[in-house]
């Protein structure tokens, strides 16, 4: 299981290591996994469940 998880996530981890936050902007899978960016909640379901404001990543990272 550990090898499978490592192999599945390696490309994402390398993208983050090489590109930093730009990788999140470029990759929809990384964006989906982002809950918070510099304070604002960027995952709508989390914001709604907590009764807090939601900011799409495009607004939060602007």
């Amino acid at each position: 299981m550990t090898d499978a998880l490592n192999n599945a996530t390696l490309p994402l981890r390398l993208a983050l290591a090489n590109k930093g936050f730009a990788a999140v902007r470029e990759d929809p899978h990384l964006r989906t996994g982002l809950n918070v960016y510099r304070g604002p909640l960027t995952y709508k379901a989390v914001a709604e469940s907590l009764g807090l404001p939601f900011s799409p990543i495009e607004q939060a990272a602007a």
Side-chain angles (χ1 to χ4, degrees):
M1 177 86 164
T2 302
D3 288 337
L5 180 59
N6 182 53
N7 292 337
T9 61
L10 182 60
L12 299 172
R13 292 181 287 125
L14 288 173
L16 285 170
N18 291 325
K19 297 180 181 180
F21 191 73
V24 176
R25 290 185 180 152
E26 296 170 9
D27 189 310
H29 301 291
L30 287 173
R31 274 197 309 277
T32 300
L34 187 67
N35 287 326
V36 177
Y37 180 70
R38 294 188 175 183
L41 287 164
T42 58
Y43 196 92
K44 190 173 185 176
V46 172
E48 288 174 352
S49 72
L50 296 172
L52 296 171
F54 163 70
S55 295
I57 186 60
E58 296 79 16
Q59 285 181 327

